[in-house]
Structure formats: structure tokens, C-alpha cells
Amino acid sequence: MFKATTSKITPTLPLSLSSSGMHTSISEILKEKSLKPSRRSLPCLAQSQTHPINLNHFLSVPLSPEPKPEVEGLSQSISTSCSLLPEDGKDQYVEESEVTCETKPDESFPLQKPVTRAKLEACTDSPISSGLFFRDGKKRIDYILVYKKSSPQVEKRCTFEKNLRAEGLMLEKEPSLTNNDIMFVKVHAPWDTLCKYAEQMNIRMPFRKKCYFTDWKSKTLGSRFHLRCRQIKSWLPRNPMKLDKEALPDLEESDCYTAPFSRARMHHFTINNRETFFSNSTRSRILHHVLQRTKYEEGKLKMGINRLLGNNTYEAAFPPHEGGYKSRHPIKTHGAQNHRHLLYERWARWGIWYKYQPLDLIRRYFGEKIGLYFAWLGWYTGMLIPAALVGVFVFLYGLFTMDSSQVSKEICEANTTIMCPMCEETCEPWTLSDSCVYAKVTHLFDNGGTVFFAIFMAIWATVFLEFWKRRRAELTYDWDLIDWEEEEEELRPQFEAKYSGVERVNPISGKPEPFQPFTDKLSRLMVSVSGIFFMISLVLTAVFAVVVFRLIAMEKFASFRWYFVKKNWQFATSGTGVCINFMIIMSLNVVYEKVAYLLTNLEHPRTESEWENSFSLKMFLFQFVNLNSSTFYIAFFLGRFAGRPGKYNKLFNRWRLEECHPSGCLIDLCLQMGVIMFFKQIWNNFMELGYPLLQNWWSRRKMKKVGGGGQNVENKAQLPQWDKDWNLQPMNAHGLVDEYLEMVLQFGFTTIFVAAFPLAPLLALLNNIIEIRLDAYKFVTQWRRPMPARATDIGIWHGILEGIGVLAVITNAFVIAITSDYIPRFVYAFKYGPCVDKGHHHEDECLRGYMNSSLSVFDMWETKNSSQFRYCRYRDYRAPPWSSVPYEFTLQFWHVLAARLAFIIVFEHLVYGIKSFIAYLIPDMPKDLCDRMRREKYLMQEMMYEAELEHLQKERKKNGGRYHHEWP
């Protein structure tokens, strides 16, 4: 017998590269010092630079004990330790309707008598009872299939499971301890099967430890400089946001080169233990690949676990969790039990909310797609910190200058300024000083820092997206996704059923498949677009209803009997309108999800990714319009068409249109954004965590009862892992659509109208700190383990974010120019104020008299008003009633209008120019990363050649052949 040994990398025949000025061999490169070791998340399983040296040895002798193929399914054989048990136990798992299927012997497996689970548990160790292995305690459970015994789809299930065994998988069945109608099918992939499909799927695996080289920059700087830098860095305090290295002992620090797995070159790869060479997530992905391509009926495309889940042949299919997420012993002293426990302790607990996320561990457990989501969410949250700080500074500037503001002073001191009544019948004139508090609150958000903050946030959005591209490039490199291409997806079952009669040859696979004619696709798309426009019109109808409500409420509150309500009718009108609008928004969101689902299914997308992209776009359009339509009305239409006293525009000739407050309409927009953003985030967080908690609580309550035909389980810890996972909630059917949608809508609120609400980034930051832990807790503790999927980016959401960034520039320009009073104040200060002839002075001095200049005069006796006051003031730039052209627009109105239009043009061009320049300066991929990729590719080729040469030379030497320092 050969003994498994490993050797260090000592290439004997290096390739000659002296002519190119490069290193002559890998052995020389290994002697150099590392410049910047970029840690790769896929750990190298070797503790030293070792690799297998004999291909035949690895193909014939296993590195770790692996059980021989045994009987699977209901005829699963017991382990050697239980071989002395009497074989008189009856198989309690066989159903009468399935005897002919389940007890049919497989030609490749000898039949043995099964024993009862009680006897197996009596002679096995704790890993069996934990539910992570087969009954023999050796075969790891890679996937769980769940079906009901009462399901009539017995034939399909039997055919499917038989074909799974033919593919090399091993199956074992187990009944549920909580429901006698539920049966679990445990699936295990042996080593040979994993190798076969890993090669087919081009899964990259580690084959050699990384070695780094020192470039000319580090040589010129010298090692003394680097030593001094390390000393200075050691004196600095530790970053509290980083996780300690001791906190993640499972992640090794060694870096490895990876290459697509190949059975023919297995000697290249670092295989110290076959049980741990393929990670659990990789094993689950391979199993999912097999399950998606295994037939359940005779036919060209009658295959796939998704179709079996759709026709209720199986109730669920999921990879199991790696055990419990809690332990009686502290993790610091006893270590982590499994990756799930480690994730809970170092990621999902609230006590470490300020720590960086362990993205490598998240990726290893949940896959690259979910890992990229949390990486993007963490990056977005981190980038919100400077935006929140600047927003708070702008808000504090308004707070500190609130009492000293010249506009607020004039409003608060205007005790003799009589304002026109807000309604024509029951309302009385009121004094401008009654709105003193309203004016001061408006100054909090409408001050000199508004323009600066709007420009800052537009640039921030560009920097955020550009640096995310760089961060994504680093992650895709670290996670071996650079050369990964999404494989040809399977057709959706609905698409296959609908267009099974029309076929064409797939240009990728060369096989015939169902085809959707262009005319049919176009007609369905037109119907879907019509449905989208209909739902958007429904949103606009709801906004119109809210507008009517505000008009009615305005008159009622302005003539209210209670003096407090009558005095603060603006707040009362805006507050009640926002609350009504919020309830309508949340109600319509439920309808939109169902409509988007129906419209997407009506289009019959070809693949799951097409379905997800189409559904995501519809959900975004619906919810974006639903959330922002009323905000757009307040920002750009409120008070623009109200008319003037004596000639007000009325809706249905009954209700007078709402007009802005003398201090501006921006406070209404701010109130609208603040209420919706605050309450919507609270509602979303409650639903994300509260709903799964309630459902899982109800499942645990049912488990304690005998109801459902199950056994009486008093302690949940006694349940095997598959039963625990079955009682958890499945991941959302839409995948990560809801998670991304919530954050993208929040990004829109944070950037589109940020000029009206500088505290929006702060609210988003606080929400996201909670959101990360809520999502982490939900993924780790409340949901079944999702299938670890691969992805290289965040999909369609990146394009949506870029579109929101462009829209934000336009809306903020219009908010500052139209909604805010910044432009009228600017025009007054430099054209009509007291500083025009004296030169520039303090801003407040130049705005003296601004309030009187922005109010026009109306003669109330023209409307036969019996008030004791003849003249009242209203907000507009119109000539007085005693002028030659009464109530016509003054020259100041046209100056303000021209300044507003000019500001919009200048602001947009300036910000777009800055955004484009920044995007040009920031490359999508860091230069050092490009150099490392090119260098790694070169070194990989060299090491492959040397490893193959060394292997062939040893084979020739062992076989007695001549030994030459040349390629054979």
C-alpha cells in the first residue's frame, strides 16, 4: 500500500525566462518578500505549500476514510459498529403505496435489511442525532428533499430518485418527528460524483499557495521604510470596527491560486482531506445542479426539481443548515460549533452592530449572490456616514441661525401685517406673526447650506456607485468570479408548458427547445405595459384624492373652533394629508406586488433570471411612483396654480386650490418626506423580523402538540436538523428582490429630494445599521438555508441606481429653484435689497425688507368682505390695486423667474460635469488589482507547467525511464 504523503514545492526543471527579464523559476519567486498580500476568501486547505505528487495514488487510495457504496433509500445499510444488532426490526418507513417503487432493488446496490432508528441512534455518535449525516455517521447530508406521503405523484418521485441514484448520488429516507405525513429524503454526493460535476461546472479549486513578488517601487523605497510604517501602525489604537483575527478562527490566512477543477490533473490540487476539499456551499451547489438536470419522466425536457416542486411532487428542497446557531458554552473558550454558530456570534448578534461584516464567511455559507448583497449593503451604509454628517451640519447651521434669520425675524415681528383669509366664507384675516414657529421650522431646512448639500449629494451618489464598482471588482477577484460566466439556464416550467408545441434549436446547446414567437411576445409585452400604465394611473388617482382631502381639510382647520388648531392649520393640514397618503401607499403596495407577479407571469419569461429582472423592474416602477407621486405634487405643483385673492382657481368650482405659506412650501415637502421615510422604515423592519418570528413561533407551538399525527416533542433540541430546518420559513419566493427594492427606494428618498430634507441620509444610516443585523438574524436563525448561488454583480439594480442618480440632479435643481425660496432671496439681495448700492454686506442685512417685498396687496372690499380691514397681504409678485395695471405681475416676478430657469440650467450642467469628471477619474478596477491578475495568470501557467513536468518526471523515474532535464 502506498502511504499518502505530500512534499514542498521544489521544482527541479524551471522554465528559462532570462531573456524576458523575469524570474527564472517559481522557486526564486518564493524566496522574495511579499509586497501586499491580498487575502483571498477561498482558503487553501494546506497548512504549508504542499500538493499531491502522484495522480495514480490519488485515484486509487483515498486520503481520508470514505465508506464504500451502500444501499440507499429505504434499504440503507447500517454502519459496521451496528452490524451485530439483530435484524428483526421492521422497516417503519415503507408506505403501502410506495412498496413497489421503494423496495425495488437497484442493480448497483446489494439489499440489506434496515433497522429501526431507535437502534441506530443507540449505537451511533452525536453527529447522527444532530441530523448532519446519514444513519451510518459518515456520509454528509448535502441536500434535503421533503414530500408528503399522501401525495399522488408517486411515480414521478420514484423515477426521479432512481435517476438520482443513477447519477451517483446516495439517498436515505427519514420520517418527520412532528408530522407523520412528512417524509425527508437525505441526499449525499460521493467523492467521485463531486469530482465529475465540479469538472463539468468549471468550479475553481485551490491548487497552490500564493506567492508574491516585490516590484520596483518597494525596492526603491527600501525595507526600512516599511519597517518604520509597521511600527507606527502598531502604536495606533486598534480599529474597533474590525473583527479580531481570533474571532474567525475558521478562516485561514493562507492564500491559494485557484483553477478550474480537472480530474485528469487532480495531482495539481491541494487535497489533504476529501471530506473538506469541497466546502458545504460548493457541495450544495453541485447537488442543486444535478437536481435541476435529472429527469422524472421519459421526455426531452421533463426534468428538474423546480418542476417537481411546482406540481407538488415535493414540498420543499433545500440544503441543510450546519447545525444550531446557539451553544451552551461561550465561543471565546470553546470555539464555534459550526459556521452557522460562528455567523450568529460574529455577525447576527446586536452586540456587534458596529463591526465590519465577515463577508468571506457569509459568502462561504450562503454563496456569492447573497454575499454580494450584504457587501453592497455594507458599502452603502458606510458611504452614508459622510453624507449623514454633512446633512447634520447643514441642519445644525439652520438650527443655530434660526432665531437670527432676517426672514424669520420679519415674520415674527409682523404683528400689524394682515394676511388674506384662507377661505372666503367662514375664515377671518390673520396676522403674519401667527406663523412665526412655522417660519423658524422652515429655516431649518431652507437655508444657505441647501444648495451646497444638494451639489454634495449629487456628487456623493456618483462617488458611491463608482467606488462600488471598484469594490465589486475586488470581491469578484477574491471570490474567483472574474472568469466565471453564468451557465445556460434551464427553461421555466411555465414557459415549457406554454410553448411546447413550437420548437427551435438552441444556438448555445444545439438542442431543440420551446420557442416563443415574436408576435406572441410583442402582444404579451404590450398587455403588460398597458397594465403598468393602468396601475400608475391608479396611483395618480389616489394622489388626486389626497389633494382633494387637503383642500377640504384646509378650509375646516382654518375655520376650526379650537384656537390651537386654527392657529396651526398649516401643520394640521399637512400632517393629516401625509398620514392619509402613507396609509394609501402601504395599502397599494400589497396590490402592486400581486399585479406585478401576474403581469410578469403573463409575459412568460424564458428563464428565472429574465423573470426576476422583469419582476424587479415592475416592482420598482410601481413602488417608486407610489411613494414619490405625492412628493412630486407638493414639490412642484402645490401653490403654483392657486391664483390670487378675488380670482382664486377652484377645483370643481367648489374648493379653492391650496397655496404655499408665506415662508415657502419647502416645509410641506420636508414633512411629507420625514413622515413617510420614518414610518415606512419602521414598518419594513417590523415586517421583516416580526413576520418570520410569528410564523416560527406558531410552528414551534404546533411541534409541542400531538396534532398533525406527529410525536410529542417536548424539547426542540432533540429534533434532527432536517426537522428543524423544515419548521423554519423558506426564503422569500422572489429571492433578494424585496431586500434590494427596499434599499433602492431608500436610496431614492436619500438623493432625489435631499435638498428639502437634509436629515434623510442620517435616517437612512440609522435604518441600515438596524437593517444589516435584522437581515443577518433572519438569514441565520429564521430562514431555511438558501441555495448558495453565484453572481458577479447586483444585477439590474445597478442600472436603476444610476438612473436614480441622474434623476436626483434634476429634481434637486428644481426643488432649489422652484420649491425653495433661495432664488427669490438671492434676487432680492442683489437686485432690490439695501445692499445693491452699498456693496455686499452680511446676508441678513441684505435681506432686510425681503418679507414685505414678497407680499402683494389686495383690496378686500372688492369682494364685499365686511372685515374691518380693507387691505390684506398675500404671497405673490403682483401690482397693488391702486396701480394703473392692478394685480398684474411685477418686474421682480420676471426677474425671479429668469433667475430660477438660469439656476436650473447652470446647476444641472455644473453637477453633471462634475459627476462625469469624477466617473472618468475613478476606474472601475484598481490598477494594482489589474497587475495582480495579470501576474497571477502568468504564475499559474508557470506552476501548472512545472507541476506537470515534475509529475511526469517522477512517473518516468519510477517506471525506470531515463531522466532528462527537458520536456518529454
Side-chain angles (χ1 to χ4, degrees), residues 326-343:
K326 286 187 177 181
S327 175
R328 293 176 297 178
H329 307 289
I331 191 174
K332 290 184 179 180
T333 57
H334 291 74
Q337 293 181 335
N338 49 65
H339 286 169
R340 189 187 185 194
H341 181 212
L342 189 59
L343 280 171

Side-chain angles (χ1 to χ4, degrees), residues 391 393-402 405 440-453 666 755 758 816 820-822 825 843:
F393 288 150
V394 172
F395 177 79
L396 292 178
Y397 170 78
L399 181 64
F400 292 147
T401 59
M402 181 173 58
S405 171
K440 290 184 177 181
V441 174
T442 301
H443 183 75
L444 290 176
F445 306 99
D446 189 6
N447 51 65
T450 302
V451 178
F452 163 75
F453 190 56
L666 199 66
I816 297 173
S820 170
D821 273 357
Y822 176 80
R825 292 197 299 262
E843 179 182 1

Side-chain angles (χ1 to χ4, degrees), residues 148-157 312:
K148 289 184 177 180
K149 301 176 185 177
S150 57
S151 173
Q153 307 287 352
V154 179
E155 185 177 354
K156 292 181 181 179
R157 186 167 59 250
N312 296 325

Side-chain angles (χ1 to χ4, degrees), residues 121-139:
E121 289 184 347
C123 64
T124 51
D125 299 328
S126 59
I128 306 175
S129 59
S130 67
L132 300 177
F133 295 87
F134 276 23
R135 287 194 290 264
D136 60 5
K138 298 179 180 179
K139 301 182 184 67

